[in-house]
Amino acid sequence: MLISADTDLIKMLADPLRARIIELLAEGPACVCHLVDDTGAKQPNVSNHLRALREAGLVATEPHGRFTYYRLLPDAIEAVAGQLAQLAERARTNAETRRECP
């Protein structure tokens, strides 16, 4: 089920800034200052998106000196990809199965 009581990870990735942050973190861990520079977004906005991504289990934090680095969690991304792959397979399997009208 793509939409559930749990955090909807696909919805989390649908936001353009969050998707860009995910793309940037796929290149390796980064701190907020790097992500602000790379996205052009304001620091509070980037921080809020990172908090949401962390709470959703898509990124983890790593303290490094006085900075906090954010790291993408590949298993969470693979889980979303798996959900989409299952949905596509179901659609492929049922493409010719039409429900009859009463």
Side-chain angles (χ1 to χ4, degrees):
M1 180 177 218
L2 291 177
I3 300 174
S4 67
D6 296 332
T7 301
D8 184 357
L9 297 181
I10 292 172
K11 183 177 177 183
M12 291 293 297
L13 297 174
D15 181 278
L17 181 55
R18 285 189 195 132
R20 180 68 181 132
I21 290 170
I22 291 290
E23 287 177 21
L24 291 166
L25 292 178
E27 300 300 319
C31 71
V32 173
C33 62
H34 297 128
L35 297 170
V36 166
D37 288 344
D38 292 344
T39 62
K42 302 279 187 202
Q43 183 273 324
N45 196 12
V46 170
S47 293
N48 285 335
H49 283 294
L50 285 167
R51 184 186 74 247
L53 291 167
R54 185 177 41 80
E55 290 173 354
L58 292 168
V59 300
T61 59
E62 297 175 344
H64 185 73
R66 60 178 238 233
F67 298 100
T68 298
Y69 278 74
Y70 291 83
R71 177 176 52 87
L72 185 61
L73 297 174
D75 291 345
I77 301 300
E78 285 176 346
V80 173
Q83 289 175 332
L84 288 172
Q86 289 174 359
L87 185 63
E89 184 55 35
R90 239 174 58 211
R92 189 173 288 111
T93 299
N94 298 315
E96 300 300 320
T97 306
R98 192 170 298 132
R99 291 174 39 183
E100 295 298 324
C101 295

